[in-house]
Amino acid sequence: MQEYDLYINPKKPSIGLYVRKGAGLPDLADANEWLYDGSANDVDLPADLVRNIESTGHAFRELD
């Protein structure tokens, strides 16, 4: 089972950024604006989101 970290930008709380567990946000120019908000297992996320994370290293998702 793969795990992914969720980051939230308080300025845009309706958008979440997922990355592989432990990857952090080294490539983002505004990484300091994103706050770690927990982890999720691949079975808890939509399959298309997991595919995007695996292919690009990250994925954005609208949060409810």
Side-chain angles (χ1 to χ4, degrees):
M1 191 175 324
Q2 181 67 40
E3 287 188 89
Y4 302 97
D5 290 337
L6 169 62
Y7 290 86
I8 303 290
N9 184 330
K11 294 178 184 176
K12 303 171 193 164
S14 64
I15 302 291
L17 172 59
Y18 286 89
V19 297
R20 291 180 191 103
K21 180 132 182 94
L25 304 174
D27 297 337
L28 284 182
D30 62 349
N32 61 337
E33 294 180 13
W34 293 86
L35 304 174
Y36 175 76
D37 194 53
S39 297
N41 294 318
D42 55 1
V43 296
D44 298 324
L45 299 173
D48 60 330
L49 182 72
V50 172
R51 281 192 297 275
N52 285 341
I53 299 167
E54 290 302 320
S55 67
T56 65
H58 71 279
F60 292 96
R61 179 183 187 196
E62 284 192 42
L63 303 173
D64 298 324

mmCIF file of all heavy atoms in Angstrom, residues 17-60:
data_model
loop_
_atom_site.group_PDB
_atom_site.id
_atom_site.type_symbol
_atom_site.label_atom_id
_atom_site.label_comp_id
_atom_site.label_asym_id
_atom_site.label_seq_id
_atom_site.Cartn_x
_atom_site.Cartn_y
_atom_site.Cartn_z
ATOM 1 N N LEU A 17 -2.867 19.541 -2.240
ATOM 2 C CA LEU A 17 -1.755 19.090 -3.065
ATOM 3 C C LEU A 17 -1.235 17.792 -2.478
ATOM 4 O O LEU A 17 -0.828 17.747 -1.314
ATOM 5 C CB LEU A 17 -0.648 20.150 -3.084
ATOM 6 C CG LEU A 17 0.678 19.779 -3.737
ATOM 7 C CD1 LEU A 17 0.478 19.394 -5.191
ATOM 8 C CD2 LEU A 17 1.662 20.924 -3.605
ATOM 9 N N TYR A 18 -1.274 16.725 -3.261
ATOM 10 C CA TYR A 18 -0.797 15.413 -2.833
ATOM 11 C C TYR A 18 0.543 15.104 -3.474
ATOM 12 O O TYR A 18 0.745 15.390 -4.659
ATOM 13 C CB TYR A 18 -1.791 14.315 -3.239
ATOM 14 C CG TYR A 18 -3.037 14.282 -2.410
ATOM 15 C CD1 TYR A 18 -4.150 15.034 -2.762
ATOM 16 C CD2 TYR A 18 -3.110 13.491 -1.271
ATOM 17 C CE1 TYR A 18 -5.305 14.992 -2.010
ATOM 18 C CE2 TYR A 18 -4.275 13.443 -0.505
ATOM 19 C CZ TYR A 18 -5.358 14.193 -0.879
ATOM 20 O OH TYR A 18 -6.504 14.159 -0.126
ATOM 21 N N VAL A 19 1.442 14.524 -2.683
ATOM 22 C CA VAL A 19 2.745 14.051 -3.160
ATOM 23 C C VAL A 19 3.014 12.696 -2.518
ATOM 24 O O VAL A 19 2.352 12.313 -1.551
ATOM 25 C CB VAL A 19 3.889 15.033 -2.819
ATOM 26 C CG1 VAL A 19 3.682 16.375 -3.506
ATOM 27 C CG2 VAL A 19 4.030 15.217 -1.318
ATOM 28 N N ARG A 20 4.014 11.978 -3.033
ATOM 29 C CA ARG A 20 4.397 10.714 -2.407
ATOM 30 C C ARG A 20 4.858 10.974 -0.979
ATOM 31 O O ARG A 20 5.488 11.990 -0.698
ATOM 32 C CB ARG A 20 5.525 10.064 -3.190
ATOM 33 C CG ARG A 20 5.091 9.556 -4.539
ATOM 34 C CD ARG A 20 6.268 8.906 -5.273
ATOM 35 N NE ARG A 20 5.932 8.654 -6.644
ATOM 36 C CZ ARG A 20 6.340 9.385 -7.673
ATOM 37 N NH1 ARG A 20 7.140 10.405 -7.475
ATOM 38 N NH2 ARG A 20 5.961 9.083 -8.883
ATOM 39 N N LYS A 21 4.549 10.069 -0.078
ATOM 40 C CA LYS A 21 4.910 10.209 1.338
ATOM 41 C C LYS A 21 6.401 10.489 1.475
ATOM 42 O O LYS A 21 7.234 9.803 0.910
ATOM 43 C CB LYS A 21 4.556 8.948 2.110
ATOM 44 C CG LYS A 21 4.916 9.030 3.570
ATOM 45 C CD LYS A 21 3.774 8.590 4.414
ATOM 46 C CE LYS A 21 4.094 8.709 5.888
ATOM 47 N NZ LYS A 21 3.647 9.959 6.431
ATOM 48 N N GLY A 22 6.716 11.571 2.186
ATOM 49 C CA GLY A 22 8.098 11.939 2.453
ATOM 50 C C GLY A 22 8.778 12.745 1.366
ATOM 51 O O GLY A 22 9.910 13.186 1.545
ATOM 52 N N ALA A 23 8.110 12.964 0.235
ATOM 53 C CA ALA A 23 8.737 13.682 -0.883
ATOM 54 C C ALA A 23 8.880 15.173 -0.601
ATOM 55 O O ALA A 23 9.773 15.825 -1.134
ATOM 56 C CB ALA A 23 7.943 13.471 -2.171
ATOM 57 N N GLY A 24 8.001 15.726 0.209
ATOM 58 C CA GLY A 24 8.042 17.167 0.462
ATOM 59 C C GLY A 24 7.667 17.950 -0.784
ATOM 60 O O GLY A 24 7.107 17.407 -1.739
ATOM 61 N N LEU A 25 8.017 19.234 -0.777
ATOM 62 C CA LEU A 25 7.674 20.122 -1.895
ATOM 63 C C LEU A 25 8.908 20.858 -2.413
ATOM 64 O O LEU A 25 8.902 22.079 -2.549
ATOM 65 C CB LEU A 25 6.611 21.130 -1.434
ATOM 66 C CG LEU A 25 5.329 20.543 -0.856
ATOM 67 C CD1 LEU A 25 4.441 21.645 -0.318
ATOM 68 C CD2 LEU A 25 4.604 19.705 -1.891
ATOM 69 N N PRO A 26 9.968 20.159 -2.764
ATOM 70 C CA PRO A 26 11.213 20.831 -3.134
ATOM 71 C C PRO A 26 11.145 21.631 -4.433
ATOM 72 O O PRO A 26 11.919 22.574 -4.614
ATOM 73 C CB PRO A 26 12.217 19.684 -3.267
ATOM 74 C CG PRO A 26 11.375 18.505 -3.623
ATOM 75 C CD PRO A 26 10.079 18.718 -2.871
ATOM 76 N N ASP A 27 10.230 21.299 -5.339
ATOM 77 C CA ASP A 27 10.179 21.959 -6.638
ATOM 78 C C ASP A 27 9.238 23.153 -6.709
ATOM 79 O O ASP A 27 9.156 23.806 -7.735
ATOM 80 C CB ASP A 27 9.789 20.955 -7.730
ATOM 81 C CG ASP A 27 10.821 19.857 -7.889
ATOM 82 O OD1 ASP A 27 11.981 20.080 -7.507
ATOM 83 O OD2 ASP A 27 10.465 18.781 -8.384
ATOM 84 N N LEU A 28 8.535 23.443 -5.635
ATOM 85 C CA LEU A 28 7.595 24.558 -5.647
ATOM 86 C C LEU A 28 8.281 25.846 -5.208
ATOM 87 O O LEU A 28 8.934 25.879 -4.165
ATOM 88 C CB LEU A 28 6.414 24.302 -4.705
ATOM 89 C CG LEU A 28 5.341 23.341 -5.167
ATOM 90 C CD1 LEU A 28 4.243 23.256 -4.127
ATOM 91 C CD2 LEU A 28 4.755 23.741 -6.496
ATOM 92 N N ALA A 29 8.111 26.884 -5.985
ATOM 93 C CA ALA A 29 8.682 28.182 -5.622
ATOM 94 C C ALA A 29 8.029 28.730 -4.364
ATOM 95 O O ALA A 29 8.675 29.415 -3.576
ATOM 96 C CB ALA A 29 8.512 29.162 -6.781
ATOM 97 N N ASP A 30 6.758 28.422 -4.167
ATOM 98 C CA ASP A 30 6.024 28.924 -3.003
ATOM 99 C C ASP A 30 5.775 27.825 -1.970
ATOM 100 O O ASP A 30 4.765 27.820 -1.281
ATOM 101 C CB ASP A 30 4.718 29.574 -3.432
ATOM 102 C CG ASP A 30 3.761 28.602 -4.117
ATOM 103 O OD1 ASP A 30 4.180 27.473 -4.454
ATOM 104 O OD2 ASP A 30 2.599 28.964 -4.310
ATOM 105 N N ALA A 31 6.699 26.893 -1.825
ATOM 106 C CA ALA A 31 6.531 25.744 -0.939
ATOM 107 C C ALA A 31 6.246 26.158 0.504
ATOM 108 O O ALA A 31 5.528 25.461 1.211
ATOM 109 C CB ALA A 31 7.762 24.853 -0.990
ATOM 110 N N ASN A 32 6.781 27.285 0.926
ATOM 111 C CA ASN A 32 6.561 27.716 2.316
ATOM 112 C C ASN A 32 5.114 28.138 2.568
ATOM 113 O O ASN A 32 4.719 28.315 3.712
ATOM 114 C CB ASN A 32 7.520 28.840 2.705
ATOM 115 C CG ASN A 32 7.347 30.070 1.837
ATOM 116 O OD1 ASN A 32 6.848 29.988 0.720
ATOM 117 N ND2 ASN A 32 7.789 31.204 2.326
ATOM 118 N N GLU A 33 4.304 28.288 1.521
ATOM 119 C CA GLU A 33 2.896 28.649 1.673
ATOM 120 C C GLU A 33 2.002 27.425 1.870
ATOM 121 O O GLU A 33 0.820 27.566 2.146
ATOM 122 C CB GLU A 33 2.416 29.432 0.459
ATOM 123 C CG GLU A 33 3.100 30.778 0.326
ATOM 124 C CD GLU A 33 2.620 31.559 -0.886
ATOM 125 O OE1 GLU A 33 1.591 31.181 -1.485
ATOM 126 O OE2 GLU A 33 3.290 32.533 -1.236
ATOM 127 N N TRP A 34 2.564 26.229 1.730
ATOM 128 C CA TRP A 34 1.799 24.995 1.856
ATOM 129 C C TRP A 34 2.112 24.336 3.188
ATOM 130 O O TRP A 34 3.271 24.208 3.573
ATOM 131 C CB TRP A 34 2.132 24.043 0.708
ATOM 132 C CG TRP A 34 1.657 24.550 -0.610
ATOM 133 C CD1 TRP A 34 2.324 25.405 -1.438
ATOM 134 C CD2 TRP A 34 0.419 24.285 -1.236
ATOM 135 N NE1 TRP A 34 1.569 25.672 -2.545
ATOM 136 C CE2 TRP A 34 0.387 24.984 -2.448
ATOM 137 C CE3 TRP A 34 -0.668 23.488 -0.893
ATOM 138 C CZ2 TRP A 34 -0.693 24.931 -3.316
ATOM 139 C CZ3 TRP A 34 -1.742 23.436 -1.759
ATOM 140 C CH2 TRP A 34 -1.752 24.148 -2.955
ATOM 141 N N LEU A 35 1.079 23.891 3.887
ATOM 142 C CA LEU A 35 1.222 23.273 5.195
ATOM 143 C C LEU A 35 0.832 21.800 5.126
ATOM 144 O O LEU A 35 -0.203 21.452 4.538
ATOM 145 C CB LEU A 35 0.328 23.977 6.220
ATOM 146 C CG LEU A 35 0.536 25.473 6.378
ATOM 147 C CD1 LEU A 35 -0.507 26.058 7.318
ATOM 148 C CD2 LEU A 35 1.939 25.770 6.882
ATOM 149 N N TYR A 36 1.648 20.962 5.735
ATOM 150 C CA TYR A 36 1.351 19.528 5.800
ATOM 151 C C TYR A 36 0.051 19.318 6.564
ATOM 152 O O TYR A 36 -0.157 19.897 7.623
ATOM 153 C CB TYR A 36 2.507 18.806 6.493
ATOM 154 C CG TYR A 36 2.247 17.350 6.718
ATOM 155 C CD1 TYR A 36 2.337 16.446 5.670
ATOM 156 C CD2 TYR A 36 1.905 16.877 7.974
ATOM 157 C CE1 TYR A 36 2.092 15.099 5.881
ATOM 158 C CE2 TYR A 36 1.660 15.535 8.197
ATOM 159 C CZ TYR A 36 1.758 14.654 7.146
ATOM 160 O OH TYR A 36 1.510 13.326 7.362
ATOM 161 N N ASP A 37 -0.843 18.474 6.006
ATOM 162 C CA ASP A 37 -2.146 18.255 6.628
ATOM 163 C C ASP A 37 -2.459 16.778 6.832
ATOM 164 O O ASP A 37 -3.610 16.407 7.018
ATOM 165 C CB ASP A 37 -3.238 18.918 5.789
ATOM 166 C CG ASP A 37 -4.548 19.034 6.528
ATOM 167 O OD1 ASP A 37 -4.554 19.568 7.645
ATOM 168 O OD2 ASP A 37 -5.571 18.544 5.991
ATOM 169 N N GLY A 38 -1.462 15.914 6.736
ATOM 170 C CA GLY A 38 -1.687 14.494 6.983
ATOM 171 C C GLY A 38 -1.368 13.634 5.785
ATOM 172 O O GLY A 38 -0.905 14.113 4.753
ATOM 173 N N SER A 39 -1.608 12.343 5.946
ATOM 174 C CA SER A 39 -1.314 11.362 4.903
ATOM 175 C C SER A 39 -2.553 10.535 4.600
ATOM 176 O O SER A 39 -3.469 10.444 5.417
ATOM 177 C CB SER A 39 -0.186 10.433 5.349
ATOM 178 O OG SER A 39 0.997 11.150 5.537
ATOM 179 N N ALA A 40 -2.550 9.915 3.425
ATOM 180 C CA ALA A 40 -3.646 9.040 3.018
ATOM 181 C C ALA A 40 -3.070 7.844 2.272
ATOM 182 O O ALA A 40 -2.028 7.955 1.612
ATOM 183 C CB ALA A 40 -4.625 9.785 2.117
ATOM 184 N N ASN A 41 -3.735 6.716 2.383
ATOM 185 C CA ASN A 41 -3.347 5.523 1.631
ATOM 186 C C ASN A 41 -3.962 5.576 0.244
ATOM 187 O O ASN A 41 -5.007 6.199 0.039
ATOM 188 C CB ASN A 41 -3.843 4.262 2.343
ATOM 189 C CG ASN A 41 -3.163 4.070 3.671
ATOM 190 O OD1 ASN A 41 -1.959 4.277 3.788
ATOM 191 N ND2 ASN A 41 -3.918 3.682 4.676
ATOM 192 N N ASP A 42 -3.332 4.881 -0.694
ATOM 193 C CA ASP A 42 -3.838 4.876 -2.060
ATOM 194 C C ASP A 42 -5.266 4.360 -2.152
ATOM 195 O O ASP A 42 -6.031 4.817 -2.991
ATOM 196 C CB ASP A 42 -2.909 4.107 -2.994
ATOM 197 C CG ASP A 42 -2.611 2.695 -2.546
ATOM 198 O OD1 ASP A 42 -3.131 2.252 -1.503
ATOM 199 O OD2 ASP A 42 -1.832 2.019 -3.245
ATOM 200 N N VAL A 43 -5.663 3.455 -1.285
ATOM 201 C CA VAL A 43 -7.029 2.920 -1.341
ATOM 202 C C VAL A 43 -8.066 3.951 -0.896
ATOM 203 O O VAL A 43 -9.254 3.780 -1.174
ATOM 204 C CB VAL A 43 -7.173 1.628 -0.504
ATOM 205 C CG1 VAL A 43 -6.313 0.518 -1.081
ATOM 206 C CG2 VAL A 43 -6.843 1.875 0.949
ATOM 207 N N ASP A 44 -7.624 5.010 -0.218
ATOM 208 C CA ASP A 44 -8.534 6.055 0.241
ATOM 209 C C ASP A 44 -8.679 7.205 -0.756
ATOM 210 O O ASP A 44 -9.462 8.121 -0.523
ATOM 211 C CB ASP A 44 -8.056 6.623 1.582
ATOM 212 C CG ASP A 44 -8.037 5.563 2.673
ATOM 213 O OD1 ASP A 44 -8.924 4.692 2.680
ATOM 214 O OD2 ASP A 44 -7.116 5.606 3.513
ATOM 215 N N LEU A 45 -7.921 7.159 -1.844
ATOM 216 C CA LEU A 45 -7.938 8.235 -2.841
ATOM 217 C C LEU A 45 -8.485 7.715 -4.167
ATOM 218 O O LEU A 45 -8.354 6.528 -4.469
ATOM 219 C CB LEU A 45 -6.510 8.765 -3.050
ATOM 220 C CG LEU A 45 -5.838 9.369 -1.825
ATOM 221 C CD1 LEU A 45 -4.381 9.691 -2.135
ATOM 222 C CD2 LEU A 45 -6.566 10.610 -1.365
ATOM 223 N N PRO A 46 -9.064 8.614 -4.980
ATOM 224 C CA PRO A 46 -9.538 8.194 -6.301
ATOM 225 C C PRO A 46 -8.376 7.657 -7.150
ATOM 226 O O PRO A 46 -7.254 8.186 -7.096
ATOM 227 C CB PRO A 46 -10.105 9.476 -6.915
ATOM 228 C CG PRO A 46 -10.382 10.376 -5.754
ATOM 229 C CD PRO A 46 -9.357 10.025 -4.710
ATOM 230 N N ALA A 47 -8.641 6.624 -7.929
ATOM 231 C CA ALA A 47 -7.605 5.983 -8.748
ATOM 232 C C ALA A 47 -6.935 6.954 -9.707
ATOM 233 O O ALA A 47 -5.720 6.892 -9.906
ATOM 234 C CB ALA A 47 -8.204 4.807 -9.509
ATOM 235 N N ASP A 48 -7.703 7.882 -10.311
ATOM 236 C CA ASP A 48 -7.099 8.826 -11.246
ATOM 237 C C ASP A 48 -6.150 9.794 -10.535
ATOM 238 O O ASP A 48 -5.136 10.198 -11.090
ATOM 239 C CB ASP A 48 -8.151 9.582 -12.052
ATOM 240 C CG ASP A 48 -9.101 10.396 -11.196
ATOM 241 O OD1 ASP A 48 -9.366 10.014 -10.045
ATOM 242 O OD2 ASP A 48 -9.586 11.438 -11.681
ATOM 243 N N LEU A 49 -6.441 10.150 -9.292
ATOM 244 C CA LEU A 49 -5.553 11.007 -8.512
ATOM 245 C C LEU A 49 -4.239 10.278 -8.240
ATOM 246 O O LEU A 49 -3.154 10.845 -8.414
ATOM 247 C CB LEU A 49 -6.219 11.426 -7.201
ATOM 248 C CG LEU A 49 -5.405 12.373 -6.325
ATOM 249 C CD1 LEU A 49 -5.361 13.767 -6.946
ATOM 250 C CD2 LEU A 49 -5.979 12.432 -4.923
ATOM 251 N N VAL A 50 -4.320 9.020 -7.845
ATOM 252 C CA VAL A 50 -3.120 8.216 -7.582
ATOM 253 C C VAL A 50 -2.283 8.095 -8.844
ATOM 254 O O VAL A 50 -1.052 8.242 -8.808
ATOM 255 C CB VAL A 50 -3.497 6.829 -7.020
ATOM 256 C CG1 VAL A 50 -2.278 5.924 -6.931
ATOM 257 C CG2 VAL A 50 -4.156 6.974 -5.656
ATOM 258 N N ARG A 51 -2.909 7.853 -9.993
ATOM 259 C CA ARG A 51 -2.172 7.760 -11.265
ATOM 260 C C ARG A 51 -1.443 9.067 -11.567
ATOM 261 O O ARG A 51 -0.292 9.059 -12.004
ATOM 262 C CB ARG A 51 -3.112 7.399 -12.414
ATOM 263 C CG ARG A 51 -3.449 5.933 -12.470
ATOM 264 C CD ARG A 51 -4.145 5.551 -13.767
ATOM 265 N NE ARG A 51 -5.438 6.204 -13.945
ATOM 266 C CZ ARG A 51 -6.587 5.763 -13.444
ATOM 267 N NH1 ARG A 51 -6.611 4.642 -12.743
ATOM 268 N NH2 ARG A 51 -7.708 6.413 -13.657
ATOM 269 N N ASN A 52 -2.099 10.201 -11.330
ATOM 270 C CA ASN A 52 -1.452 11.498 -11.570
ATOM 271 C C ASN A 52 -0.258 11.706 -10.645
ATOM 272 O O ASN A 52 0.780 12.202 -11.077
ATOM 273 C CB ASN A 52 -2.447 12.640 -11.386
ATOM 274 C CG ASN A 52 -3.408 12.767 -12.523
ATOM 275 O OD1 ASN A 52 -3.165 12.270 -13.620
ATOM 276 N ND2 ASN A 52 -4.526 13.414 -12.282
ATOM 277 N N ILE A 53 -0.400 11.340 -9.388
ATOM 278 C CA ILE A 53 0.719 11.483 -8.447
ATOM 279 C C ILE A 53 1.886 10.615 -8.903
ATOM 280 O O ILE A 53 3.033 11.059 -8.918
ATOM 281 C CB ILE A 53 0.306 11.092 -7.009
ATOM 282 C CG1 ILE A 53 -0.818 11.984 -6.502
ATOM 283 C CG2 ILE A 53 1.508 11.175 -6.071
ATOM 284 C CD1 ILE A 53 -1.480 11.477 -5.225
ATOM 285 N N GLU A 54 1.597 9.386 -9.287
ATOM 286 C CA GLU A 54 2.654 8.465 -9.697
ATOM 287 C C GLU A 54 3.328 8.902 -10.997
ATOM 288 O O GLU A 54 4.523 8.715 -11.162
ATOM 289 C CB GLU A 54 2.103 7.040 -9.828
ATOM 290 C CG GLU A 54 1.760 6.418 -8.501
ATOM 291 C CD GLU A 54 2.938 6.353 -7.543
ATOM 292 O OE1 GLU A 54 4.069 6.056 -7.973
ATOM 293 O OE2 GLU A 54 2.728 6.610 -6.339
ATOM 294 N N SER A 55 2.581 9.505 -11.906
ATOM 295 C CA SER A 55 3.180 9.886 -13.187
ATOM 296 C C SER A 55 3.900 11.235 -13.138
ATOM 297 O O SER A 55 4.890 11.425 -13.827
ATOM 298 C CB SER A 55 2.131 9.883 -14.296
ATOM 299 O OG SER A 55 1.176 10.905 -14.081
ATOM 300 N N THR A 56 3.419 12.160 -12.303
ATOM 301 C CA THR A 56 4.037 13.493 -12.281
ATOM 302 C C THR A 56 4.708 13.841 -10.963
ATOM 303 O O THR A 56 5.391 14.850 -10.866
ATOM 304 C CB THR A 56 2.989 14.593 -12.575
ATOM 305 O OG1 THR A 56 2.033 14.614 -11.514
ATOM 306 C CG2 THR A 56 2.307 14.366 -13.909
ATOM 307 N N GLY A 57 4.470 13.022 -9.921
ATOM 308 C CA GLY A 57 5.056 13.295 -8.616
ATOM 309 C C GLY A 57 4.173 14.124 -7.707
ATOM 310 O O GLY A 57 4.471 14.285 -6.531
ATOM 311 N N HIS A 58 3.072 14.644 -8.254
ATOM 312 C CA HIS A 58 2.142 15.435 -7.444
ATOM 313 C C HIS A 58 0.782 15.485 -8.144
ATOM 314 O O HIS A 58 0.685 15.158 -9.326
ATOM 315 C CB HIS A 58 2.660 16.861 -7.247
ATOM 316 C CG HIS A 58 2.604 17.669 -8.497
ATOM 317 N ND1 HIS A 58 3.566 17.585 -9.469
ATOM 318 C CD2 HIS A 58 1.673 18.549 -8.951
ATOM 319 C CE1 HIS A 58 3.253 18.399 -10.475
ATOM 320 N NE2 HIS A 58 2.108 18.995 -10.186
ATOM 321 N N ALA A 59 -0.231 15.904 -7.415
ATOM 322 C CA ALA A 59 -1.560 16.119 -8.003
ATOM 323 C C ALA A 59 -2.341 17.066 -7.100
ATOM 324 O O ALA A 59 -2.247 17.009 -5.875
ATOM 325 C CB ALA A 59 -2.306 14.804 -8.148
ATOM 326 N N PHE A 60 -3.086 17.946 -7.740
ATOM 327 C CA PHE A 60 -3.975 18.849 -7.012
ATOM 328 C C PHE A 60 -5.370 18.234 -6.987
ATOM 329 O O PHE A 60 -5.767 17.543 -7.914
ATOM 330 C CB PHE A 60 -4.030 20.218 -7.697
ATOM 331 C CG PHE A 60 -2.738 20.971 -7.602
ATOM 332 C CD1 PHE A 60 -1.819 20.919 -8.630
ATOM 333 C CD2 PHE A 60 -2.439 21.735 -6.483
ATOM 334 C CE1 PHE A 60 -0.619 21.616 -8.547
ATOM 335 C CE2 PHE A 60 -1.240 22.412 -6.383
ATOM 336 C CZ PHE A 60 -0.336 22.357 -7.416
#
